Amino acid sequence: MEVVRAVYSLAVDEARVSERAAALALEQTVELPRSSVRDPFVEREIVGRVGAVEPDSGGGFRVEILYPLATTALDPAQLLTVLFGNASLQDDVALVEVDAPLSLVEALGGPRFGIEGLRAATGVEARPLTCAALKPMGAGPEDLADLCRTFARAGIDVVKDDHGLADAPFCPFEARVAACVAAVERAASETGRRALYVPNVVGPPGVLGHRLERARELGAGGILAAPLVLGLPAFWELARDAGLPVFAHPALAGAARVAPSMLLGTLFRLYGADAVVFPHAGGRFPFDGGVCRELADRLRRPREGLRPAMPVPAGGMSVERVEEMVGFYGADAILLVGGTLYEAGPELEARARAFVERVHRAAEETAE
Amino acid sequence: MEVVRAVYSLAVDEARVSERAAALALEQTVELPRSSVRDPFVEREIVGRVGAVEPDSGGGFRVEILYPLATTALDPAQLLTVLFGNASLQDDVALVEVDAPLSLVEALGGPRFGIEGLRAATGVEARPLTCAALKPMGAGPEDLADLCRTFARAGIDVVKDDHGLADAPFCPFEARVAACVAAVERAASETGRRALYVPNVVGPPGVLGHRLERARELGAGGILAAPLVLGLPAFWELARDAGLPVFAHPALAGAARVAPSMLLGTLFRLYGADAVVFPHAGGRFPFDGGVCRELADRLRRPREGLRPAMPVPAGGMSVERVEEMVGFYGADAILLVGGTLYEAGPELEARARAFVERVHRAAEETAE
């Protein structure tokens, strides 16, 4: 029987761990006391089974639960219910690992472009890609297009919207995409290299399909979306239908009792992200180096049926940290410097160019 | 200028609170250092403003941030980005309060039926409504329909699916709804009172519209959906389009650094829940009485442009606790007893009847 393997960290002592693990397996499937499960089909094919139980470093236990695949109905929303629906309401449990069987991997689909598709789209073969963000919310399409052209001329590979850029009267989505794509084209006619412009897509599901279509028609090079803001099932549909590389943004993804490297590294990839933005250690967010390394590893490690995805370390990075980041992530990464570029004011293009050159140089030196 | 007022709990000391609050207001809007915000429109109409700052009971501070309404683009997804997108990734901040201006309330719409609509749909005027859940995952449509008929005959007002019931080969959504609606009808022909059957709706956005339509056509009395599993924006669309009372389930809503009474009580109502299921104190979940009282109050308190919604305390409740719960929640509530009813085995109908009678009696005694 195919199973989804989930691992939880349980903050309980040894005397209680067996009972607590069994309760968790029931809670996430039949939501009934064991004694009330009488149907042999339900016992055999539905109830979660407790697997390995071992002490963890925090004084609690790592507990493996094996869920029959049938419980998920191969539905990207139902999968979340099974993995952590009710358990999320109990404060002694955290979800730390999910391992999907191949048929679930294929149902979810994972990255449609992945690292290879992003390299093909940008024409960058072996070094890390560079990325900058269009800011701030409140700027109009023409102002953002000017910035876009500046970054593209400076040699930035991917120019993405800030994740706060929605579809507002002061900056309508279509006008922004049209202006920024035109800016990228103008820069390409000057430099001979075309940057990827990646607009942010946000909204209730009913508007996403139309935005996606317009982004494609207008010539966007990818889209940015926040899976936890849209909801993972809506993100999954977006990735399935995009026809463009999908960059995942971590907004709203941090407050959960779900291991961040697993959520952003494993689940975002499974649900279809081609590139995942996350805060690198030492910026404005408390992810440490261990979490970042693990996250990048989860995005890139070989996995049957699943393309590798690009890590996009960000979150208050600066040009000064380029060498460190290239050393840390290697070539299969997209380095995103956001707000700190803007401190250069009128020297923005020179600053962006310095970023680009440092990445290229650091990659060459690492390769030597 | 209309503003969305959000209150955060910040775990910082007095020396740092002003700086931290200002950084939060920037992070959630322009995502730039203050010195890089140069456009007067952005300064005036976009950047969040720090409002009241006062010490909280935990040694940190309650900080009010006022977001210009324009930042939300009146978009139910974008609102989440502004309220807690990047902040969710920082571990010293929790979202504890959201206060939407009337135009945002009207854009979101809130409960379409609310307490009044649920009373009209069930024909119950002044006492708490009773609710039971169809379990377990793995049971087929006919088994669940038998249970449904049993509960309806016992006088239960609302019979809802367990939130784990999806659209699986062993229990397809349409077959289940058809069988359970027929069961409710049969019971109604015996008792003269018609229970509301409320199926669970789960899936990616693209399937929800069709399920909703089938649920309506087949005669469901409402729908159950988990806003955090579907994603709040998808839930919002579902509530907007449902044409039936919408019951919100708390699955996946618990692991967030967002105050639970605010998330379930204020945001679920704003996004359109007519009734909200949540764990009552003393069950399998760690919500205490204070949180439950606050949650119920947030669902029911008068608010311009917004119908009141029904609290549905649940989560391991038992028939023995009926009097306590009626005393706690009063008449405007739906009392849900889930798995513990099933401990009665073959005596299920008698047990359900005892639950119903105790609620009716407790309500009469309270009213006297």
Side-chain angles (χ1 to χ4, degrees):
Chain A
M1 183 168 57
E2 282 193 291
V3 297
V4 179
R5 178 179 160 271
V7 179
Y8 301 88
S9 164
L10 286 182
V12 293
D13 59 28
E14 194 164 359
R16 286 193 56 240
V17 68
S18 292
E19 184 196 344
R20 183 66 187 87
L24 180 60
L26 291 165
E27 183 77 56
Q28 296 307 104
T29 52
V30 291
E31 217 186 325
L32 271 181
R34 191 71 189 77
S35 59
S36 297
V37 178
R38 297 185 188 88
D39 180 332
F41 169 78
V42 174
E43 276 190 283
R44 203 175 55 238
E45 311 266 344
I46 300 294
V47 176
R49 281 188 299 113
V50 177
V53 174
E54 49 191 50
D56 68 17
S57 55
F61 287 83
R62 276 175 70 92
V63 171
E64 183 183 65
I65 310 276
L66 305 169
Y67 297 110
L69 184 61
T71 60
T72 70
L74 293 180
D75 170 341
Q78 171 72 359
L79 174 62
L80 302 175
T81 300
V82 172
L83 290 176
F84 208 50
N86 274 7
S88 85
L89 297 158
Q90 299 174 317
D91 55 11
D92 60 351
V93 52
L95 175 64
V96 297
E97 188 59 87
V98 175
D99 197 6
L102 185 58
S103 51
L104 181 58
V105 166
E106 286 171 349
L108 291 171
R112 271 51 167 200
F113 290 81
I115 291 179
E116 204 184 325
L118 283 161
R119 291 205 175 281
T122 51
V124 176
E125 275 175 28
R127 62 163 172 80
L129 279 66
T130 52
C131 181
L134 299 180
K135 299 166 184 272
M137 186 199 294
E142 291 311 321
D143 288 340
L144 295 173
D146 283 348
L147 290 168
C148 196
R149 188 169 170 214
T150 299
F151 288 135
R153 257 201 323 227
I156 298 278
D157 300 308
V158 179
V159 183
K160 73 164 198 61
D161 279 355
D162 225 359
H163 74 290
L165 305 188
D167 184 42
F170 51 81
C171 192
F173 178 76
E174 292 201 25
R176 179 169 85 244
V177 175
C180 289
V181 169
V184 162
E185 296 294 336
R186 270 201 304 277
S189 70
E190 291 165 47
T191 66
R193 287 195 66 250
R194 177 170 283 101
L196 232 53
Y197 167 61
V198 177
N200 181 48
V201 176
V202 63
V207 310
L208 297 179
H210 178 68
R211 296 237 171 110
L212 193 56
E213 200 182 308
R214 292 302 291 147
R216 264 196 314 260
E217 288 167 0
L218 292 167
I223 55 165
L224 175 73
L228 274 283
V229 171
L230 302 186
L232 272 163
F235 176 78
W236 173 81
E237 274 190 1
L238 195 66
R240 181 193 64 189
D241 301 338
L244 288 173
V246 176
F247 288 65
H249 191 280
L252 212 66
R257 215 164 45 246
V258 176
S261 62
M262 199 279 299
L263 178 61
L264 279 72
T266 299
L267 289 185
F268 279 20
R269 179 180 171 194
L270 263 177
Y271 276 73
D274 295 292
V276 175
V277 180
F278 62 93
H280 181 58
R284 302 193 301 277
F285 302 91
F287 282 37
D288 67 19
V291 170
C292 292
R293 190 171 299 289
E294 166 96 14
L295 202 172
D297 184 50
R298 285 170 178 269
L299 287 172
R300 299 187 295 199
R301 66 169 67 136
R303 179 78 170 75
E304 193 185 356
L306 210 54
R307 291 183 187 84
M310 279 283 193
V312 191
M317 290 301 98
S318 63
V319 175
E320 287 68 31
R321 294 186 65 190
V322 159
E323 290 75 19
E324 172 204 338
M325 293 174 77
V326 172
F328 193 93
Y329 291 102
D332 280 339
I334 301 178
L335 303 188
L336 167 56
V337 176
T340 60
L341 280 186
Y342 288 77
E343 291 168 7
E347 304 305 316
L348 182 63
E349 182 167 345
R351 190 84 181 136
R353 198 180 295 278
F355 165 46
V356 167
E357 282 164 8
R358 269 172 98 139
V359 172
H360 294 200
R361 198 163 54 232
E364 278 163 27
E365 280 163 14
T366 309
E368 274 163 15
Chain B
M1 184 168 56
E2 282 193 291
V3 297
V4 180
R5 178 180 161 271
V7 179
Y8 301 88
S9 164
L10 286 182
V12 292
D13 57 29
E14 195 164 359
R16 287 193 54 242
V17 68
S18 292
E19 184 195 346
R20 183 68 187 87
L24 180 61
L26 291 165
E27 184 77 55
Q28 296 308 104
T29 51
V30 290
E31 218 188 323
L32 271 182
R34 192 71 188 75
S35 60
S36 297
V37 179
R38 296 184 190 90
D39 179 334
F41 170 77
V42 175
E43 276 191 282
R44 201 177 55 239
E45 310 267 343
I46 300 294
V47 176
R49 280 189 300 112
V50 177
V53 174
E54 48 191 50
D56 68 18
S57 56
F61 287 83
R62 277 176 69 93
V63 171
E64 184 183 65
I65 309 275
L66 307 168
Y67 297 111
L69 184 60
T71 60
T72 70
L74 292 179
D75 169 342
Q78 172 71 358
L79 174 62
L80 302 174
T81 300
V82 171
L83 289 175
F84 208 50
N86 274 7
S88 85
L89 297 157
Q90 299 174 317
D91 54 11
D92 59 352
V93 51
L95 175 64
V96 297
E97 187 60 88
V98 175
D99 198 4
L102 185 58
S103 52
L104 181 58
V105 166
E106 287 171 348
L108 290 171
R112 270 51 167 202
F113 291 80
I115 291 177
E116 203 183 325
L118 283 161
R119 291 206 174 281
T122 52
V124 177
E125 275 174 30
R127 62 161 172 81
L129 280 66
T130 52
C131 180
L134 299 180
K135 299 167 184 273
M137 187 199 295
E142 290 311 321
D143 288 342
L144 295 173
D146 283 349
L147 291 169
C148 196
R149 185 169 172 215
T150 300
F151 288 135
R153 254 198 329 226
I156 299 277
D157 301 307
V158 178
V159 183
K160 74 163 195 63
D161 279 355
D162 225 359
H163 74 290
L165 305 187
D167 183 44
F170 51 81
C171 193
F173 178 76
E174 292 201 26
R176 179 169 86 244
V177 175
C180 289
V181 169
V184 163
E185 296 295 336
R186 272 201 304 277
S189 70
E190 292 165 48
T191 66
R193 287 196 64 250
R194 179 170 281 101
L196 230 52
Y197 166 60
V198 177
N200 180 48
V201 176
V202 64
V207 310
L208 297 178
H210 179 69
R211 296 238 171 108
L212 193 58
E213 198 182 309
R214 292 301 291 148
R216 263 196 315 258
E217 287 167 1
L218 291 166
I223 55 165
L224 176 73
L228 275 282
V229 170
L230 303 186
L232 273 163
F235 176 78
W236 173 81
E237 273 190 4
L238 196 67
R240 181 194 63 189
D241 301 338
L244 289 172
V246 176
F247 288 65
H249 191 280
L252 212 64
R257 215 164 45 247
V258 176
S261 62
M262 198 280 298
L263 178 62
L264 278 73
T266 299
L267 289 185
F268 279 22
R269 179 180 172 195
L270 262 178
Y271 276 73
D274 295 293
V276 174
V277 180
F278 61 93
H280 181 58
R284 303 192 302 278
F285 301 91
F287 282 36
D288 66 20
V291 170
C292 293
R293 189 170 299 287
E294 165 96 15
L295 202 170
D297 183 49
R298 284 170 179 267
L299 288 172
R300 300 185 297 200
R301 66 170 68 135
R303 177 79 169 75
E304 193 186 355
L306 210 56
R307 292 184 185 84
M310 279 284 194
V312 190
M317 291 301 96
S318 63
V319 175
E320 287 68 29
R321 296 185 64 190
V322 158
E323 291 74 17
E324 171 204 339
M325 292 175 74
V326 172
F328 193 94
Y329 292 102
D332 280 338
I334 301 179
L335 302 187
L336 167 57
V337 176
T340 61
L341 279 185
Y342 288 77
E343 291 168 8
E347 304 305 319
L348 182 63
E349 182 166 346
R351 190 84 182 134
R353 198 180 296 279
F355 165 47
V356 167
E357 283 165 5
R358 270 174 97 139
V359 172
H360 295 198
R361 197 162 55 233
E364 279 163 25
E365 280 164 14
T366 309
E368 272 161 15

